[in-house]
Amino acid sequence: TLAHELVFKPTQVINQIITKVAFPAFATIQDDPPRIKRAYLKLLNFLTAINFPTTLGLAVIAPVAIVVLYGPQWQPAVLAAQILAVVAALRSVGSPVGSLLLAKGRADLGFKWSLGKLLVQVPIFYWAASHGGIALVLVSVLGFQLLVSLLTYPFLVRPLLGACLRDYLASLWSSFWMSVTMSCLVFGIGRWLQPILIVPVYVLAVQVLIGVVLYFALAIYGRHGLVSEIRSLAKGRS
């Protein structure tokens, strides 16, 4: 529960706000296929630009963050938090699909998708809990979410938007490589700092600060769409 709350709380807040806005926005352009496809891919790019660095960053700083926030007695929750962080990153890719389903009037497709997931995940998780305890359950949750993420495009996105695999992957790629690069650098810096700073809260503060600066630097260098959007808004207001 502790690992789940630490990892999923930030992404849930972000996703709920965005998807509430997305549904009425998609509904107004539901009869314009090219426009709704552009809007969906832009939203996906925006969500992953926030959720990928947040979740993958949490996976990297979890060993220090859990000790600082909850105490050293909670160190066994570190591995659970790291696995669930990857699950949260994968889940964020599929979060805007619900708004798209409703806007396109395809709640029936959403029902079939949810029912199919339920029929698969219940026996898998029951078997994992019976044979391996929490460790095997975590691995099965990760494997199941990976499967769901791979099937989201052919079973949901393509039927709703048409063939757009290249654009779909392109909307994920920039946030993915920047988040992975940032996380690897933050991990290395954290390992280097621990013997020097000693106090965990200082290590955590430096890791978070460096992670934020690195990600924004990579976004500017890579000309991420989110940065361009912010610049356009700033110019418009000025």
Side-chain angles (χ1 to χ4, degrees), residues 206-220:
V206 173
Q207 280 185 300
V208 171
L209 179 61
I210 290 175
V212 172
V213 172
L214 277 173
Y215 185 76
F216 274 102
L218 289 168
I220 293 170

Side-chain angles (χ1 to χ4, degrees), residues 6-21:
L6 176 67
V7 171
F8 279 93
K9 202 67 176 178
T11 57
Q12 284 175 345
V13 171
I14 295 166
N15 292 343
Q16 285 174 1
I17 294 171
I18 298 299
T19 51
K20 282 182 180 179
V21 175

